[in-house]
Amino acid sequence: MSFPAVTANKTENGLVLAETDLEMIRYIHGINGPVLTVHGEGFAMAEMVTVNGLPGEVIALKPDAATVQIYESTAGLKRGMTVEKTNHPMSITLRPGIIGGIFDGIMRPLNENIARRFSAQITAEPGQTLNGGDIFASVEETESITYKAMVPPGVSGVVSYAAPHGEYSSSEKIILLETQNGTHELSLSQKWPIRIPRPVKRKLSAEIPLITGQRVIDSLFPIVKGGTCAIPGGFGTGKTMTQHQLAKFCDADIIIYIGCGERGNEMTEVLEDFAKLKDPRTNASLLSRTVLIANTSDMPVAAREASIYTGITLAECYRDMGCDVAVMADSTSRWAEALRELSSRLAEIPAEEGYPAYLATRLAAFYSRAGYAENLNGTNGSVTIIGAVSPQGADFSEPVTLHTKRFTRCFWALDRRLAYARHFPAINPLQSYSGYLPEIDEWYVKNIHPDFPIYREKILKTLFEESTLLETAKLVGTDSLTQKEKQVLSVAKKIRENFTAQNAHTDPFTPLQKQFELMKNILRATSENHRSVRILNTR
Ligand SMILES: Nc1ncnc2c1ncn2[C@@H]1O[C@H](COP(=O)(O)OP(=O)(O)OP(=O)(O)O)[C@@H](O)[C@H]1O
Ligand SMILES: [Mg+2]
């Protein structure tokens, strides 16, 4: 088989060939799983390409070839096949109609009617100046969410045409903006490269908790709106279940659920469950605030690698509209495995446990896209990221867990022994922590009870004391414990059984005020504790 030569863009008499001929010289030279070596010129790093209709992304450029990862199975591709440039980076289209949908890792709809039209209210008028981030139209996207069409960041100008209110497809032009670089057409949708964070005016300090209704989380290890959290846990310890509980009950406006390399039936479960359940705040179906990004274990690894960026870009888009968005990624370990597989196909030098040396930077870049911010259009919004980590053999010292721990401020460690004992959620209070307490305690004091932090401290202290006492009792027997120590054990047992344990099926949600009352009642259970709390209260 012969391939066109790279120099074929010149004819014998030195004339440059037509553009169509130039396109012809970009062709597949080698195929290794989802990774292609492509000969030809003119590619840009991170540019999106298509091969035989399959989407791909340029991930390395060498003097004589480009390396492309393909987001589909490469079965059937042949050497010599043409590779088409698109001239734009790997992007997704942000548009109305996304909420309630299920998409693959690069945002291709798995269940949606794309030809939909939307009833849009156009809020911009001719003569008005619009800047990046400004809202010019809105669509009632679902019963609880209003989609707001925004000027892409970096674009500004004066409106020369504004369409009337009416029904539009997401790509129809509805505003013409006269900018310094000519007329810019705006529609309800905009493209955004998934690997680039959407800009904000400024990041704000996150001080409001994301209420989840899960007692051990809200009361003991809370997370803020705009925070980051890791849920590490061995096989079957309840990572997915915890993520589902949060997706169902947390008080975010939008949930982006990324099923990354996990079982397909779990995603189906989410779809079915969420359609039936109601959001307690709006009484609308839970699906009408949820977007599912599904890249299950049987789907191509390259799209899995992209799926977390797709999810976070979507989240940033809704944050820009002024929403509080929670992103659940289940599981980031499967994402890291996709990274490892692609890296090994590129023959990169492996670092710890075969993961590429840039694993830590990639994880940092992902989690740093969380935050509470003032948007370009003056609204405030947040992106919270909650990532499950599934370390092999529940070994928390493996690279993905270790690095994730560095970049997240909340850590809900799932414990195999608790899961075996059917204590759910199996969050081990001795290994878990929340780094947000200093910022959010004021909110708890103001909104729930002035003594909330004191009770939390007391509960945690009792659980720590219990573990030390149990160690002692193991050596010398419970009989040798003092009456006071036995009382600590009995209170700790009550905390575990009636407070931190919370069955997702029978006891799915506890309002925060009730959580406080529960803590108070448990600690009042003994006169000893009663007294100590009173002493603490009078401090
Ligand atoms: N909060 C909970 N309430 C009741 N049962 C739970 C809870 N969390 C977990 N379980 C039980 O544990 C089982 C395993 O949970 P789950 O599938 O969430 O684990 P996982 O850590 O995601 O597992 P894997 O490593 O396979 O992904 C569930 O099927 C359920 O029976
Ligand atoms: Mg799971």
Side-chain angles (χ1 to χ4, degrees):
M1 190 176 195
S2 66
F3 303 112
V6 176
T7 49
N9 58 338
K10 295 254 173 134
T11 58
E12 273 170 15
N13 59 15
L15 287 174
V16 177
L17 289 180
E19 187 62 24
T20 45
D21 295 325
L22 271 175
E23 297 284 322
M24 289 298 290
I25 63 163
R26 300 184 187 101
Y27 61 92
I28 301 178
H29 183 69
I31 305 174
N32 178 5
V35 175
L36 309 183
T37 316
V38 177
H39 276 191
E41 296 294 321
F43 289 112
M45 193 62 185
E47 180 178 355
M48 203 177 161
V49 296
T50 54
V51 189
N52 208 24
L54 307 179
E57 183 182 5
V58 177
I59 53 171
L61 286 172
K62 291 186 191 137
D64 58 338
T67 309
V68 166
Q69 66 180 15
I70 294 290
Y71 290 112
E72 287 276 354
S73 159
T74 47
L77 291 189
K78 290 181 187 161
R79 293 181 69 211
M81 275 181 165
T82 312
V83 178
E84 312 274 354
K85 273 166 65 65
T86 63
N87 294 319
H88 60 76
M90 180 66 209
S91 307
I92 58 169
T93 304
L94 308 166
R95 56 182 173 80
I98 286 172
I99 305 277
I102 177 163
F103 301 86
D104 76 356
I106 52 170
M107 199 67 207
R108 287 173 305 178
L110 299 176
N111 71 339
E112 194 211 2
N113 164 20
I114 326 178
R116 234 174 106 184
R117 294 177 75 76
F118 304 93
S119 169
Q121 294 287 318
I122 316 292
T123 46
E125 293 172 351
Q128 190 180 344
T129 302
L130 291 179
N131 296 313
D134 284 350
I135 294 162
F136 57 85
S138 63
V139 169
E140 295 303 320
E141 189 170 359
T142 66
E143 31 184 349
S144 56
I145 303 294
T146 304
Y147 175 91
K148 292 170 186 145
M150 293 170 289
V151 179
V155 175
S156 57
V158 177
V159 177
S160 61
Y161 167 78
H165 303 322
E167 299 256 315
Y168 297 96
S169 74
S170 61
S171 57
E172 253 170 284
K173 71 167 186 258
I174 50 174
I175 297 281
L176 291 181
L177 205 59
E178 301 307 323
T179 72
Q180 279 185 341
N181 306 323
T183 307
H184 198 102
E185 293 180 358
L186 298 176
S187 67
L188 289 172
S189 64
Q190 66 171 277
K191 271 189 182 277
W192 190 262
I194 59 172
R195 297 185 197 276
I196 298 179
R198 283 175 67 83
V200 292
K201 202 177 275 174
R202 62 194 173 112
K203 286 226 170 179
L204 304 169
S205 145
E207 290 166 357
I208 302 169
L210 180 80
I211 308 295
T212 67
Q214 313 305 303
R215 296 188 286 267
V216 61
I217 293 175
D218 293 346
S219 291
L220 305 186
F221 309 109
I223 182 171
V224 286
K225 286 184 175 140
T228 48
C229 178
I231 316 184
F235 174 71
T237 46
K239 299 176 291 294
T240 304
M241 201 80 172
T242 308
Q243 297 261 33
H244 283 195
Q245 286 301 95
L246 300 186
K248 284 176 190 167
F249 298 108
C250 81
D251 66 343
D253 301 313
I254 310 259
I255 306 290
I256 312 283
Y257 195 99
I258 312 169
C260 192
E262 294 291 304
R263 292 178 286 274
N265 62 342
E266 287 178 347
M267 294 307 278
T268 326
E269 232 175 81
V270 178
L271 263 184
E272 287 172 358
D273 261 26
F274 283 32
K276 279 184 251 150
L277 288 167
K278 296 247 179 250
D279 179 351
R281 296 175 316 143
T282 57
N283 218 23
S285 148
L286 266 185
L287 212 50
S288 64
R289 67 161 194 179
T290 310
V291 183
L292 298 177
I293 310 284
N295 186 272
T296 47
S297 43
D298 53 342
M299 290 162 94
V301 288
R304 186 190 309 169
E305 190 273 327
S307 64
I308 65 166
Y309 301 105
T310 297
I312 200 81
T313 305
L314 266 184
E316 287 175 344
C317 172
Y318 283 98
R319 172 206 63 201
D320 292 350
M321 298 177 203
C323 296
D324 290 315
V325 188
V327 177
M328 319 280 160
D330 187 16
S331 134
T332 56
S333 297
R334 306 279 163 266
W335 166 82
E337 280 165 17
L339 204 66
R340 177 163 66 185
E341 183 174 335
L342 291 167
S343 162
S344 78
R345 288 192 193 274
L346 293 173
E348 291 171 338
I349 299 166
E352 305 149 282
E353 297 198 12
Y355 290 107
Y358 47 80
L359 170 70
T361 13
R362 292 280 175 94
L363 277 169
F366 172 60
Y367 283 105
S368 68
R369 289 175 76 169
Y372 182 53
E374 182 183 344
N375 298 316
L376 296 179
N377 54 28
T379 56
N380 288 357
S382 67
V383 173
T384 310
I385 307 183
I386 299 165
V389 190
S390 16
Q392 278 281 337
D395 168 17
F396 287 2
S397 63
E398 61 84 47
V400 184
T401 317
L402 269 190
H403 292 310
T404 306
K405 202 170 177 181
R406 281 169 56 200
F407 309 125
T408 51
R409 277 183 67 191
C410 236
F411 194 75
W412 301 331
L414 298 185
D415 189 322
R416 216 191 248 168
R417 278 169 311 163
L418 290 178
Y420 285 161
R422 312 268 332 139
H423 174 108
F424 290 118
I427 295 176
N428 183 331
L430 309 181
Q431 288 178 10
S432 305
Y433 56 81
S434 165
Y436 294 109
L437 296 180
E439 284 101 323
I440 51 175
D441 263 353
E442 199 181 317
W443 186 95
Y444 279 84
V445 165
K446 258 196 210 148
N447 294 281
I448 306 298
H449 196 278
D451 291 338
F452 201 107
I454 296 169
Y455 281 91
R456 175 197 300 126
E457 201 182 305
K458 184 79 189 157
I459 294 261
L460 285 174
K461 191 165 165 251
T462 312
L463 292 172
F464 271 98
E465 276 176 11
E466 180 198 33
S467 86
T468 325
L469 290 175
L470 287 178
E471 285 297 312
T472 318
K474 233 190 256 169
L475 297 174
V476 291
T478 23
D479 289 345
S480 58
L481 299 179
T482 63
Q483 202 51 36
K484 202 175 154 204
E485 287 170 337
K486 281 183 187 156
Q487 226 162 38
V488 170
L489 289 185
S490 121
V491 177
K493 189 162 176 271
K494 277 205 183 83
I495 295 173
R496 283 187 288 103
E497 286 175 358
N498 305 332
F499 192 74
T500 56
Q502 186 172 359
N503 190 299
H505 307 293
T506 54
D507 184 10
F509 182 91
T510 309
L512 204 47
Q513 191 66 45
K514 189 153 175 230
Q515 295 187 23
F516 175 71
E517 301 301 330
L518 273 170
M519 287 202 289
K520 207 160 104 177
N521 288 344
I522 292 170
L523 290 176
R524 282 220 171 116
T526 64
S527 55
E528 182 59 39
N529 279 288
H530 196 128
R531 260 208 310 283
S532 58
V533 170
R534 245 192 294 132
I535 294 163
L536 280 167
N537 280 348
T538 52
R539 257 197 220 155

